[in-house]
Each structure stands twice: as structure tokens, then as C-alpha cells.
Amino acid sequence: MENRFNRLLAAASIDLTNEQKQRLLGYVTLLDKWNKAYNLTSVRDPQEMLVRHVMDSIVVNPHLSGTQFIDVGTGPGLPGIPLAIVRPDSKFTLLDSLGKRIRFIRQVVHELGLTNVTPIQSRVEEYSIPEGFDGVISRAFASLGDMLTWCHHLPKTGGRFYALKGIISNEELSQVPEGFFVKNVVELNVPELEGERHLVVVEAKK
């Protein structure tokens, strides 16, 4: 698996330390182990997890601004844990309403020694921090309109929303609520992943 991971990283022009690689591979090992009992992801093959979960998450890193992020509807920690590993100087709050997912994330944080991840079990509407976040990230969480409606209170002034999407339609982009605008739509390159991947960056109007 390590050889394949190195090939994927090279194909995506991503340069990581050996420690970061080992932590990401360790995350896949833990996800595979827990998945058998807790059904955390529909992806069963660890080799596929490398592509569809780890690579799909870390290709977003160059497009993030700031140091304080929240991953809403994080599930088993995606994209928050891979991003926290490749972005050690940033802090990530991982939010999910399901206890089994948060228990898994706590175990990952403990076993991998991640000091920049805070798992929180809560509904997104009921959670906030006084200072706000630089970035609100979601992956397969909701439609763009719903994400902005439910998470509008989370970013600080000038903070951004980052929605990881597959195919992105003009219809979905046009349904951005009043008070927001789409700043950018980035086509993401995920080696060996079938289908399109996009990152939609949204800001609040000043």
C-alpha cells in the first residue's frame, strides 16, 4: 500500500514528510479495522480508501486559507483528519451528530498523536465558537444551499465555505442563498479516481 500511496502522491505533485505519510496510512488501517464493526464508510477496500478518502481530501489543501477550520458532517473524519495531518499548523474541529463516528475520530486522534484535531458531537445548528472559523469545510454533507443555510453562523468575518463536490451543476450554484456569492469553482485532480471532483469556494457578501 505504501508504494501505491507514493505513486498517487507523485501523480498529484504532493510532497509529504515520511511522518505524514505514515499517519495517513495509519488512518486508513484504523478506518478499515473499525469499518468492519461500525460501518463508517461504504468503501471496503483499503486501497480504494487511499484514493477515494485520503487523496480526495488532501488535494484540497492548497486551496484553503487560514488556520482555524471546521469540518461539518465529518463522518469518519473526512476530509478533516487527512487535512489536519498534511496541515499541522492549522487547527481542525471535526463535527458530527453520530456518537460512533466521534468515538472513532477520538481513537484516531489518540493513536496517531494528532494535537490539532478536536472532535465534537453536535448538530451543526447548535454549535459555534465566539471567534468564528477561517474556513467551513464539507464533503458529501448537503446541497450548497443547505450547507450555507445551516452553517452561516460558523465563519468569522471574511471566512470562507469550502464544499467538496463531484459534478457541479449551474442549477446548484444558482441556488446560493441571499448574502453569499461563489468566489471560485476549482476542478480537482485526484489520481485514479473515476468521475469529476470540484471544490466550490463561497464567501459572504460584505
Side-chain angles (χ1 to χ4, degrees):
M1 187 153 59
E2 191 168 351
N3 288 338
R4 185 178 187 214
F5 192 28
N6 283 326
R7 288 198 302 273
L8 290 166
L9 291 168
S13 301
I14 295 174
D15 190 26
L16 299 179
T17 66
N18 192 53
E19 183 183 17
Q20 287 171 324
K21 291 178 195 174
Q22 293 309 315
R23 278 180 163 164
L24 289 164
L25 291 168
Y27 171 66
V28 170
T29 301
L30 286 167
L31 184 56
D32 179 46
K33 178 180 162 187
W34 276 61
N35 202 38
K36 292 177 173 70
Y38 292 96
N39 198 27
L40 296 166
T41 168
S42 59
V43 181
R44 299 288 171 201
D45 179 3
Q47 297 279 356
E48 278 300 292
M49 290 177 183
L50 266 186
V51 176
R52 292 171 61 183
H53 289 336
V54 172
M55 293 300 300
D56 191 48
S57 297
I58 64 177
V59 293
V60 174
N61 182 42
H63 307 289
L64 301 180
S65 298
T67 58
Q68 188 95 1
F69 299 94
I70 183 167
D71 175 9
V72 293
T74 187
L78 295 164
I81 284 179
L83 284 171
I85 291 170
V86 302
R87 203 178 177 90
D89 294 333
S90 293
K91 288 188 166 64
F92 288 82
T93 298
L94 273 52
L95 190 79
D96 204 277
S97 59
L98 266 191
K100 68 176 182 179
R101 295 171 180 163
I102 294 300
R103 283 194 296 277
F104 168 68
I105 292 167
R106 286 197 185 111
Q107 188 66 23
V108 170
V109 166
H110 172 69
E111 291 204 27
L112 300 184
L114 302 179
T115 57
N116 60 337
V117 173
T118 305
I120 300 285
Q121 183 180 347
S122 172
R123 291 168 56 84
V124 66
E125 304 96 308
E126 296 163 1
Y127 182 79
S128 64
I129 58 171
E131 65 272 28
F133 293 93
D134 295 314
V136 180
I137 305 170
S138 81
R139 176 184 189 259
F141 171 62
S143 71
L144 200 54
D146 283 345
M147 178 198 177
L148 295 167
T149 300
W150 296 336
C151 303
H152 65 90
H153 60 293
L154 291 172
K156 63 176 63 168
T157 303
R160 292 176 176 174
F161 297 87
Y162 300 94
L164 282 73
K165 296 282 182 181
I167 295 170
I168 187 75
S169 67
N170 287 329
E171 182 185 7
E172 186 174 7
L173 292 175
S174 70
Q175 290 170 354
V176 169
E178 191 68 33
F180 299 95
F181 71 98
V182 176
K183 183 175 178 62
N184 204 3
V185 178
V186 183
E187 190 170 346
L188 299 169
N189 168 37
V190 185
E192 297 184 29
L193 181 71
E194 290 182 17
E196 296 178 24
R197 297 300 285 157
H198 292 89
L199 176 67
V200 184
V201 184
V202 177
E203 287 185 8
K205 292 177 180 172
K206 293 184 175 63

